[in-house]
Amino acid sequence: MINRRIVLAGAAALAFSTSAASAQDWKSKYPELTFAVVPAENASGVTERWAPFTAYLSKELGVKVTLRIANDYAAVIEGQRSGNIQIASYGSASFARARLTGVKTDAFANDINADGSTGYYSVFFVKASSPYKNIDQLKGKNLGLVDPNSTSGNNVPRFELDKLGISDADAYFGKVVFTGSHENAMLALSQGTVEVAANQWTSDDDSTLAQMLTKGMLKNADGTPMKKDDFRIVHKSAPIINGPYAYNSELPEELKAAIAKAFTEAPTKDKAAFDRLSDGQKKGFHAATTKDWDATIDLIKFVDNLRKKKAS
């Protein structure tokens, strides 16, 4: 006689075998995944920060996950467009640009800050020893930006400048320089190449500047380490949503779910790898959806229109 317990056990076994078969299917199709990040610091620092987390992902997903340090945000966008990058760490603006240009990518998570928030700011830094207290005093001076697709290092700064009545940054400042990374922008400021630099800032203890000071990367002319008090913020934007982690839209649903689960569980399953990644500045990953960046897409459209007006 077939009783209810036998039926349920059979159904559970069937579900398990179906799930296992699905997992095996995507593992056969994707025996290796590429995870791309854009360096906010020098390449060796990025490898040291991300390698343990990448190893954790390999273990959790059961396939090799290879870390790719992209040269810039455009490389990540094009890598996902071509399908060569399956998982990517984006800035908000670069993700919006990817979506605007038809890349099939979907956000699944972003960082949770130490205070529980999920946003940050774009700020303009000057050296505290300089006389500059606001943007009005910096006309004709040199501005250091990060990358054309950087949120806090280009797009939001231009939006903020427009709110201040400066629609053409290149005409207002003596020179506008793309430095290539958040660290390079702060180095340019510390060395006097630029008088003002745009950068990301969450708090005094959570920013590119804070990381660089901890690593002793910023020096005075006499070689002594610079301190937090050697820099001053002269303008801060409205809050920006933390950039997303995104996977290719066309990946199997089982693989997408496994990736999202691995990120969510990382702080408890491999605390050492997560702590190395976050430098103690983050507390985990927040579940996110692509629609969370709709406002950023509107921002990118605005900045694009600024460029068109300048060119016309």
Side-chain angles (χ1 to χ4, degrees):
M1 178 178 179
I2 299 175
N3 60 31
R4 183 171 178 271
R5 182 177 297 176
I6 294 173
V7 171
L8 289 175
L14 178 61
F16 178 79
S17 62
T18 301
S19 175
S22 297
Q24 197 54 49
D25 285 346
W26 69 251
K27 287 181 181 180
S28 298
K29 187 174 181 180
Y30 296 96
E32 182 174 346
L33 301 170
T34 298
F35 179 26
V37 301
V38 176
E41 55 196 322
N42 60 60
S44 63
V46 178
T47 301
E48 291 171 6
R49 186 182 302 282
W50 285 94
F53 185 76
T54 306
Y56 157 78
L57 288 179
S58 296
K59 179 181 176 183
E60 289 300 302
L61 297 175
V63 296
K64 182 180 180 182
V65 179
T66 299
L67 176 66
R68 175 177 168 186
I69 303 172
N71 291 329
D72 52 28
Y73 291 112
V76 176
I77 292 170
E78 294 311 312
Q80 279 222 297
R81 190 190 309 281
S82 66
N84 294 325
I85 295 171
Q86 288 76 42
I87 313 169
S89 172
Y90 276 104
S92 289
S94 55
F95 179 69
R97 177 68 64 194
R99 295 287 301 181
L100 275 173
T101 56
V103 178
K104 294 179 179 179
T105 181
D106 285 309
F108 64 88
N110 65 344
D111 292 320
I112 302 173
N113 302 326
D115 64 0
S117 63
T118 56
Y120 66 111
Y121 303 88
S122 173
V123 300
F124 287 104
F125 280 110
V126 299
K127 290 173 74 171
S129 59
S130 75
Y132 314 118
K133 301 292 176 63
N134 55 59
I135 298 297
D136 289 342
Q137 297 173 335
L138 286 155
K139 185 174 183 178
K141 305 303 178 183
N142 294 338
L143 167 65
L145 297 177
V146 174
D147 175 283
N149 285 309
S150 171
T151 311
S152 61
N154 182 51
N155 289 284
V156 172
R158 291 186 187 273
F159 178 72
E160 291 294 314
L161 289 171
D162 186 75
K163 289 198 299 185
L164 296 172
I166 305 167
S167 59
D168 187 348
D170 298 275
Y172 184 82
F173 294 97
K175 184 185 293 184
V176 176
V177 181
F178 282 113
T179 62
S181 74
H182 289 83
E183 280 192 349
N184 284 345
M186 296 309 297
L187 284 169
L189 177 61
S190 69
Q191 295 166 1
T193 306
V194 300
E195 284 80 26
V196 55
N199 226 280
Q200 62 90 14
W201 183 92
T202 302
S203 68
D204 281 343
D205 299 317
D206 184 354
S207 67
T208 298
L209 173 60
Q211 289 178 350
M212 294 178 75
L213 292 174
T214 298
K215 293 188 287 187
M217 293 180 64
L218 301 172
K219 308 284 188 182
N220 291 303
D222 62 3
T224 57
M226 298 185 80
K227 301 176 182 177
K228 194 183 305 179
D229 293 342
D230 290 320
F231 298 89
R232 176 168 58 244
I233 292 174
V234 293
H235 184 82
K236 184 170 77 170
S237 74
I240 307 164
I241 185 173
N242 285 340
Y245 298 94
Y247 40 46
N248 282 34
S249 306
E250 296 175 343
L251 292 179
E253 293 303 317
E254 294 86 354
L255 175 52
K256 291 181 186 178
I259 293 169
K261 183 173 183 286
F263 269 74
T264 300
E265 295 178 347
T268 52
K269 278 202 168 180
D270 196 334
K271 187 176 184 301
F274 178 77
D275 288 348
R276 180 68 193 90
L277 172 66
S278 66
D279 263 353
Q281 296 180 348
K282 310 298 178 186
K283 63 186 297 184
F285 298 103
H286 170 259
T289 66
T290 298
K291 285 186 65 64
D292 295 336
W293 281 269
D294 283 354
T296 312
I297 289 177
D298 292 337
L299 167 68
I300 298 305
K301 289 178 179 177
F302 174 84
V303 174
D304 285 350
N305 285 332
L306 281 182
R307 291 196 188 100
K308 290 175 183 176
K309 287 179 183 177
K310 180 186 172 185
S312 62

